[in-house]
Amino acid sequence: MRRSLIAAAALAPLVIAASGAAHAETVITTAVTTPVITSKANSGAPDDVKINSGGSVTISAAGAIVTVDSPNTFRNEGTLSANNVDGVIGIQVNGGLKSTVTNAGQINIVEDYIAVDTDPADGDLDGPFAKGSNRYGIRESGVGVFDGSIQNVIGGSITVEGNTSYGVLVETGVTGNVFTPGAISVFGDKSVGLDIKGDVGGNVRVGSVNVVGDGDSAIVSDANVTGGVNIGGAVASTGYRYTSRPSTKSTIAALDNDDLLQGGPGVRISGDVGKGLILSVAPADLDTKNDDEDGDGVVDSAQSTGTIAQRGGAPALQIGAMGKSVTFGLVGTGTNAYGIVSNGTILADGVYDNVASTAIDLGLDGGGAVTIT
């Protein structure tokens, strides 16, 4: 689970990129070790900010690496990082603003901790998946709905190691899209890859999400989505340390409790979804001049097959809510004229003895009605 980090050099000034007399944006091209704040980015004044592929921002104390607190855009093509620090946020997006936030580079909120085999007689690793806590890749929160879109695009990656931590967390909601076809990985107990708590006015687009830990879920959407939810990559969650069953009973018997933890639902949706849920595949190439023929915002050549895999006793896909009804509208027309369309795979695997598996769970015990149009 170890990822290499780009080490920060000495504090370097922000580099202002301009064309003639017209100011373009503040561009970070070197290694910076102080937090970036859009409201102060241009010599104390607000500005759009871009971190290019050679730039990085690394901090060593709790807080946000980048804060979007003004109606300015932010784009990361470099690296945002923190190591062994609790309470760190890669990009803090303040609610109530109008902007667009894009990650096309790396966000690494990690730690040096590595599980080791403390009782070598059994031959397996011991201890938790992570030691730290309260770490975030991208967090939208504050007062009011964020007027814009939050994006982790193809080529972008978010890696978070920590308990009660998140890859992307949307708290107060967005008017636009939550567009995350880029990779998200989270390691630690009670954590979530993509967690949507506030309403989304546009669509939710998801690529690769991998989470490992006790009670973890890859995707949680407790709010309403006006558009649709499109899973176009490999989504996986588990609490197990080993997701392949050992070949001998003696090896299985030697596994410890911390090897057999149970994750939460792989994907849990407890809000309305106006245009339904689709596990999508790359469309057929029928127009050589159009590289996005299904119009989902992802270049078709970069699109993979949508899959949900949950290894453990929780459902792979769970839809329903306590105290309210949930309704899915139609994904589209023709062969997509259903509330749920799976062109990929939904896998549930208990792996070990006496662990029942459920692929799709519609409606919670004691919950409200679930209507799949």
Side-chain angles (χ1 to χ4, degrees):
M1 296 195 308
R2 297 269 60 82
R3 255 67 50 180
S4 61
L5 297 178
I6 295 179
L11 177 63
L14 304 184
V15 178
I16 307 301
S19 175
H23 177 72
E25 63 186 355
T26 297
V27 181
I28 298 176
T29 63
T30 56
V32 175
T33 56
T34 55
V36 174
I37 303 173
T38 60
S39 65
K40 302 177 181 179
N42 183 16
S43 301
D47 201 4
D48 297 344
V49 176
K50 175 183 177 181
I51 301 174
N52 75 4
S53 59
S56 65
V57 184
T58 302
I59 65 173
S60 56
I65 299 173
V66 174
T67 301
V68 179
D69 64 343
S70 59
N72 296 101
T73 63
F74 172 74
R75 181 178 178 88
N76 174 46
E77 297 178 356
T79 302
L80 308 179
S81 61
N83 192 31
N84 296 324
V85 183
D86 291 342
V88 168
I89 305 167
I91 305 173
Q92 167 63 43
V93 182
N94 287 359
L97 299 174
K98 183 178 179 63
S99 179
T100 298
V101 174
T102 303
N103 177 56
Q106 298 182 51
I107 301 176
N108 297 320
I109 313 299
V110 296
E111 60 184 27
D112 289 333
Y113 164 75
I114 300 176
V116 298
D117 186 2
T118 59
D119 49 352
D122 63 8
D124 68 76
L125 301 177
D126 300 293
F129 293 106
K131 285 290 187 71
S133 61
N134 301 317
R135 297 165 178 170
Y136 308 79
I138 300 175
R139 181 183 188 183
E140 182 276 331
S141 64
V143 179
V145 176
F146 178 71
D147 187 4
S149 296
I150 295 175
Q151 304 180 134
N152 178 44
V153 299
I154 292 290
S157 67
I158 299 172
T159 301
V160 179
E161 296 175 347
N163 302 302
T164 58
S165 297
Y166 302 84
V168 177
L169 173 62
V170 176
E171 292 192 36
T172 63
V174 301
T175 62
N177 300 320
V178 177
F179 185 73
T180 65
I184 299 173
S185 298
V186 181
F187 302 91
D189 297 342
K190 306 300 186 291
S191 297
V192 181
L194 169 63
D195 195 345
I196 299 173
K197 299 183 182 298
D199 290 348
V200 175
N203 300 304
V204 175
R205 179 66 162 83
V206 185
S208 170
V209 183
N210 181 49
V211 299
V212 180
D214 182 26
D216 284 9
S217 287
I219 301 170
V220 172
S221 181
D222 291 328
N224 296 325
V225 178
T226 300
V229 176
N230 184 329
I231 296 175
V235 172
S237 68
T238 188
Y240 294 150
R241 195 182 304 275
Y242 309 103
T243 56
S244 295
R245 181 183 175 91
S247 59
T248 65
K249 291 184 178 180
S250 60
T251 303
I252 295 174
L255 295 176
D256 303 312
N257 290 336
D258 60 16
D259 300 320
L260 301 171
L261 300 172
Q262 292 295 320
V267 175
R268 190 188 82 207
I269 300 177
S270 58
D272 295 342
V273 183
K275 295 184 179 180
L277 166 68
I278 182 170
L279 275 65
S280 61
V281 295
D285 187 5
L286 303 177
D287 184 353
T288 58
K289 296 181 179 180
N290 184 356
D291 60 4
D292 183 15
E293 295 189 37
D294 55 2
D296 64 356
V298 179
V299 174
D300 296 337
S301 61
Q303 187 171 330
S304 58
T305 299
T307 64
I308 303 172
Q310 207 292 338
R311 289 175 171 83
L317 171 62
Q318 183 179 72
I319 300 171
M322 300 301 295
K324 66 174 184 178
S325 61
V326 174
T327 300
F328 279 29
L330 298 178
V331 170
T333 60
T335 57
N336 288 335
Y338 300 89
I340 298 176
V341 176
S342 177
N343 293 321
T345 301
I346 300 174
L347 167 71
D349 185 0
V351 181
Y352 298 101
D353 293 347
N354 303 314
V355 180
S357 57
T358 303
I360 302 175
D361 180 14
L362 299 181
L364 307 180
D365 289 340
V370 172
T371 301
I372 307 299
T373 305

